Amino acid sequence: MFKLNSTIKRFLKILLYTILIAIFVKCFFIEAYKIPSESMENSLIPGDYIFVNKFIYGASSPKYIPFTNIKIPYFTLPAIEEPKVGDVLVFEFPGYRDEFKPEKEQKFVKRCVACPNDTIQIINKIIYVNSEKLDPSFYQIVDSTKSYDFKYIEVKIFPKGLEWNRNNYGPFVVPGKGTKIIFNTSTVELWRTMIEREIGENAVSIDERGVKIFNEYVDQYTFKKDYYFVMGDNFDNSYDSRYWGLVPREKIIGKATLIYWSKDPEKDNILDFFSSIRWERVLKSIK
């Protein structure tokens, strides 16, 4: 009986250590993620399972109590490098364009196409960053039959109220920490949601005299965070920064680095298991 109890205790101790090591690795080094949609085709396709390098951008300790939505204090390790144009990012969805806080926690994967203080512009589906054409291999699928000219206005575009569309966008300067903008009755709807997210409260109001933040009249605002403009490689079939806005630096989880497994989601019958595996994508690096 003593030996049995000793064996059980040893097993439980090993199991506990294994779980703690797994949690540590997941928090600070590597996280797995499944690609759910076509927005990153052909770089990433539905059914790809990827590893996300969290350490490179400075991993964070858990922000929530496990299995709950209760926030807890957290810390972030120093970053080895900052996100750059071309990196495939996995991040916490910051919310829809006019949404102060997202209804549910979601993780998205998109490519970084502009960094803090960069100017992005799209002209007839060609992306320019700081007046230089972006490497076209970064947006691999472009449907020439789906085209809007400059005159077409998409009312759901970000920022709110600008007369742009997904194919002809900008120029737009991505704000970074220390960026100053004009913030008055003419520009309030462009920036209201982003500013309130930074502040953490619905603090912006308007009256006949002008714009107020916490009941103090303002005519400009200085951003406190860095932001990133992200897009899917599937140019015409991606819900991205063109619609819902920018990704704050602290929302970026890590860099997608490797497809460790890939399976055709359309083949879910157990008899199709081996034929469903996309062997040519297994252990493929993400570029």
Side-chain angles (χ1 to χ4, degrees):
M1 189 69 176
F2 174 80
K3 289 184 179 180
L4 180 61
N5 288 340
S6 177
T7 301
I8 292 174
K9 287 180 180 179
R10 184 181 177 189
F11 171 77
L12 292 176
K13 184 182 291 186
I14 293 172
L15 180 62
L16 176 62
Y17 288 158
T18 302
I19 293 172
L20 291 175
I21 291 170
I23 292 174
F24 180 78
V25 170
K26 183 180 184 298
C27 287
F28 295 106
F29 292 96
I30 298 235
E31 183 169 325
Y33 181 81
K34 179 183 177 182
I35 301 302
S37 72
E38 300 85 4
S39 72
M40 283 297 292
E41 288 185 346
N42 283 327
S43 301
L44 298 169
I45 60 179
D48 282 350
Y49 293 78
I50 66 174
F51 281 140
V52 181
N53 183 336
K54 303 176 71 174
F55 189 71
I56 191 169
Y57 297 147
S60 297
S61 62
K63 299 179 181 179
Y64 301 89
I65 296 176
F67 311 111
T68 75
N69 290 321
I70 302 173
K71 286 190 174 184
I72 56 176
Y74 69 93
F75 64 90
T76 301
L77 297 175
I80 296 175
E81 64 179 54
E82 290 299 309
K84 61 184 181 298
V85 173
D87 288 355
V88 178
L89 308 179
V90 176
F91 54 91
E92 298 172 11
F93 179 52
Y96 297 110
R97 186 191 67 181
D98 304 321
E99 188 177 48
F100 173 67
K101 183 180 179 181
E103 289 186 4
K104 63 177 181 178
E105 301 293 331
Q106 300 181 76
K107 294 177 183 177
F108 281 14
V109 55
K110 304 288 181 186
R111 192 178 296 277
C112 175
V113 295
C115 296
N117 303 309
D118 284 344
T119 299
I120 182 170
Q121 185 170 18
I122 304 173
I123 304 174
N124 294 326
K125 296 191 175 186
I126 298 175
I127 304 172
Y128 297 86
V129 180
N130 300 326
S131 301
E132 294 186 6
K133 188 184 295 186
L134 187 69
D135 184 346
S137 66
F138 288 160
Y139 47 111
Q140 301 178 5
I141 298 180
V142 179
D143 188 345
S144 60
T145 65
K146 296 180 179 179
S147 184
Y148 300 136
D149 62 21
F150 287 94
K151 296 179 182 179
Y152 182 76
I153 300 171
E154 285 191 271
V155 295
K156 294 182 179 181
I157 214 78
F158 167 87
K160 183 179 180 179
L162 295 182
E163 299 180 348
W164 300 341
N165 61 59
R166 74 186 81 172
N167 302 334
N168 292 283
Y169 186 99
F172 176 77
V173 180
V174 180
K177 186 177 181 179
T179 298
K180 290 184 178 181
I181 58 163
I182 296 172
F183 193 53
N184 54 30
T185 53
S186 298
T187 63
V188 62
E189 294 306 327
L190 302 182
W191 302 108
R192 178 199 292 266
T193 303
M194 283 186 61
I195 290 172
E196 290 189 329
R197 285 176 184 169
E198 274 208 344
I199 295 171
E201 295 184 40
N202 296 120
V204 176
S205 60
I206 308 172
D207 63 20
E208 65 281 356
R209 289 179 54 193
V211 177
K212 296 187 291 184
I213 297 179
F214 287 128
N215 294 317
E216 291 188 11
Y217 289 100
V218 297
D219 56 16
Q220 65 178 19
Y221 180 80
T222 302
F223 281 100
K224 302 172 179 62
K225 300 177 181 179
D226 285 332
Y227 292 88
Y228 294 81
F229 196 103
V230 298
M231 290 178 58
D233 289 358
N234 191 344
F235 185 95
D236 298 288
N237 191 24
S238 174
Y239 189 56
D240 50 40
S241 287
R242 291 171 291 177
Y243 292 100
W244 44 258
L246 307 176
V247 181
R249 176 63 178 85
E250 77 273 10
K251 292 284 186 181
I252 297 175
I253 296 169
K255 179 180 181 181
T257 57
L258 181 73
I259 301 170
Y260 69 87
W261 186 252
S262 186
K263 182 179 180 296
D264 187 344
E266 298 295 324
K267 297 181 179 180
D268 55 1
N269 191 305
I270 188 65
L271 299 177
D272 296 325
F273 176 76
F274 287 103
S275 64
S276 70
I277 301 172
R278 304 184 184 111
W279 294 105
E280 73 281 2
R281 299 187 66 81
V282 175
L283 299 182
K284 181 181 178 181
S285 61
I286 299 170
K287 300 179 180 178

